[in-house]
mmCIF file of all heavy atoms in Angstrom:
data_model
loop_
_atom_site.group_PDB
_atom_site.id
_atom_site.type_symbol
_atom_site.label_atom_id
_atom_site.label_comp_id
_atom_site.label_asym_id
_atom_site.label_seq_id
_atom_site.Cartn_x
_atom_site.Cartn_y
_atom_site.Cartn_z
ATOM 1 N N ASP A 782 2.155 11.996 -6.909
ATOM 2 C CA ASP A 782 0.732 12.138 -7.189
ATOM 3 C C ASP A 782 -0.087 11.329 -6.168
ATOM 4 O O ASP A 782 0.453 10.448 -5.502
ATOM 5 C CB ASP A 782 0.429 11.697 -8.626
ATOM 6 C CG ASP A 782 0.708 10.226 -8.827
ATOM 7 O OD1 ASP A 782 -0.175 9.401 -8.537
ATOM 8 O OD2 ASP A 782 1.846 9.900 -9.252
ATOM 9 N N PRO A 783 -1.382 11.614 -6.018
ATOM 10 C CA PRO A 783 -2.192 10.926 -5.017
ATOM 11 C C PRO A 783 -2.250 9.406 -5.186
ATOM 12 O O PRO A 783 -2.230 8.674 -4.187
ATOM 13 C CB PRO A 783 -3.578 11.537 -5.190
ATOM 14 C CG PRO A 783 -3.340 12.869 -5.808
ATOM 15 C CD PRO A 783 -2.125 12.694 -6.674
ATOM 16 N N LEU A 784 -2.305 8.925 -6.409
ATOM 17 C CA LEU A 784 -2.399 7.474 -6.604
ATOM 18 C C LEU A 784 -1.097 6.768 -6.220
ATOM 19 O O LEU A 784 -1.124 5.703 -5.603
ATOM 20 C CB LEU A 784 -2.804 7.152 -8.040
ATOM 21 C CG LEU A 784 -4.244 7.543 -8.375
ATOM 22 C CD1 LEU A 784 -4.485 7.447 -9.874
ATOM 23 C CD2 LEU A 784 -5.240 6.703 -7.607
ATOM 24 N N SER A 785 0.043 7.371 -6.560
ATOM 25 C CA SER A 785 1.319 6.799 -6.122
ATOM 26 C C SER A 785 1.427 6.850 -4.606
ATOM 27 O O SER A 785 1.951 5.923 -3.975
ATOM 28 C CB SER A 785 2.488 7.557 -6.760
ATOM 29 O OG SER A 785 2.488 7.369 -8.156
ATOM 30 N N THR A 786 0.897 7.921 -4.001
ATOM 31 C CA THR A 786 0.915 8.038 -2.551
ATOM 32 C C THR A 786 0.106 6.910 -1.906
ATOM 33 O O THR A 786 0.495 6.360 -0.870
ATOM 34 C CB THR A 786 0.390 9.427 -2.123
ATOM 35 O OG1 THR A 786 1.189 10.431 -2.773
ATOM 36 C CG2 THR A 786 0.477 9.616 -0.635
ATOM 37 N N LEU A 787 -1.003 6.535 -2.527
ATOM 38 C CA LEU A 787 -1.789 5.398 -2.032
ATOM 39 C C LEU A 787 -0.973 4.109 -2.094
ATOM 40 O O LEU A 787 -0.999 3.302 -1.161
ATOM 41 C CB LEU A 787 -3.088 5.255 -2.827
ATOM 42 C CG LEU A 787 -3.985 4.078 -2.451
ATOM 43 C CD1 LEU A 787 -4.441 4.176 -0.994
ATOM 44 C CD2 LEU A 787 -5.181 4.009 -3.384
ATOM 45 N N LEU A 788 -0.211 3.924 -3.167
ATOM 46 C CA LEU A 788 0.637 2.734 -3.281
ATOM 47 C C LEU A 788 1.769 2.771 -2.263
ATOM 48 O O LEU A 788 2.152 1.733 -1.718
ATOM 49 C CB LEU A 788 1.170 2.578 -4.704
ATOM 50 C CG LEU A 788 0.111 2.382 -5.789
ATOM 51 C CD1 LEU A 788 0.772 2.224 -7.160
ATOM 52 C CD2 LEU A 788 -0.804 1.205 -5.495
ATOM 53 N N PHE A 789 2.312 3.965 -1.979
ATOM 54 C CA PHE A 789 3.299 4.106 -0.896
ATOM 55 C C PHE A 789 2.689 3.626 0.413
ATOM 56 O O PHE A 789 3.312 2.900 1.188
ATOM 57 C CB PHE A 789 3.707 5.574 -0.689
ATOM 58 C CG PHE A 789 4.615 6.189 -1.719
ATOM 59 C CD1 PHE A 789 4.536 7.555 -1.957
ATOM 60 C CD2 PHE A 789 5.554 5.454 -2.412
ATOM 61 C CE1 PHE A 789 5.377 8.171 -2.874
ATOM 62 C CE2 PHE A 789 6.402 6.057 -3.332
ATOM 63 C CZ PHE A 789 6.312 7.414 -3.564
ATOM 64 N N ALA A 790 1.466 4.082 0.677
ATOM 65 C CA ALA A 790 0.779 3.717 1.922
ATOM 66 C C ALA A 790 0.554 2.212 1.994
ATOM 67 O O ALA A 790 0.697 1.605 3.064
ATOM 68 C CB ALA A 790 -0.544 4.465 2.031
ATOM 69 N N LEU A 791 0.231 1.594 0.866
ATOM 70 C CA LEU A 791 0.036 0.145 0.843
ATOM 71 C C LEU A 791 1.317 -0.583 1.211
ATOM 72 O O LEU A 791 1.313 -1.463 2.079
ATOM 73 C CB LEU A 791 -0.465 -0.298 -0.536
ATOM 74 C CG LEU A 791 -0.592 -1.804 -0.752
ATOM 75 C CD1 LEU A 791 -1.561 -2.434 0.240
ATOM 76 C CD2 LEU A 791 -1.029 -2.087 -2.193
ATOM 77 N N ALA A 792 2.424 -0.232 0.583
ATOM 78 C CA ALA A 792 3.698 -0.896 0.881
ATOM 79 C C ALA A 792 4.107 -0.650 2.332
ATOM 80 O O ALA A 792 4.551 -1.567 3.036
ATOM 81 C CB ALA A 792 4.793 -0.410 -0.073
ATOM 82 N N GLY A 793 3.948 0.568 2.797
ATOM 83 C CA GLY A 793 4.303 0.882 4.172
ATOM 84 C C GLY A 793 3.452 0.128 5.174
ATOM 85 O O GLY A 793 3.952 -0.385 6.183
ATOM 86 N N CYS A 794 2.165 0.043 4.909
ATOM 87 C CA CYS A 794 1.252 -0.675 5.801
ATOM 88 C C CYS A 794 1.552 -2.174 5.794
ATOM 89 O O CYS A 794 1.577 -2.809 6.856
ATOM 90 C CB CYS A 794 -0.188 -0.404 5.373
ATOM 91 S SG CYS A 794 -1.427 -0.988 6.541
ATOM 92 N N GLU A 795 1.778 -2.746 4.620
ATOM 93 C CA GLU A 795 2.129 -4.170 4.540
ATOM 94 C C GLU A 795 3.397 -4.441 5.354
ATOM 95 O O GLU A 795 3.490 -5.443 6.056
ATOM 96 C CB GLU A 795 2.331 -4.592 3.083
ATOM 97 C CG GLU A 795 1.056 -4.693 2.280
ATOM 98 C CD GLU A 795 0.447 -6.083 2.286
ATOM 99 O OE1 GLU A 795 1.044 -7.017 1.726
ATOM 100 O OE2 GLU A 795 -0.645 -6.220 2.861
ATOM 101 N N ASN A 796 4.374 -3.547 5.278
ATOM 102 C CA ASN A 796 5.609 -3.715 6.035
ATOM 103 C C ASN A 796 5.348 -3.685 7.539
ATOM 104 O O ASN A 796 5.843 -4.531 8.279
ATOM 105 C CB ASN A 796 6.622 -2.638 5.654
ATOM 106 C CG ASN A 796 7.897 -2.787 6.441
ATOM 107 O OD1 ASN A 796 8.575 -3.808 6.388
ATOM 108 N ND2 ASN A 796 8.227 -1.759 7.215
#
Side-chain angles (χ1 to χ4, degrees):
D782 64 85
L784 291 169
S785 295
T786 304
L787 178 61
L788 298 181
F789 286 151
L791 175 60
C794 190
E795 287 268 293
N796 179 60

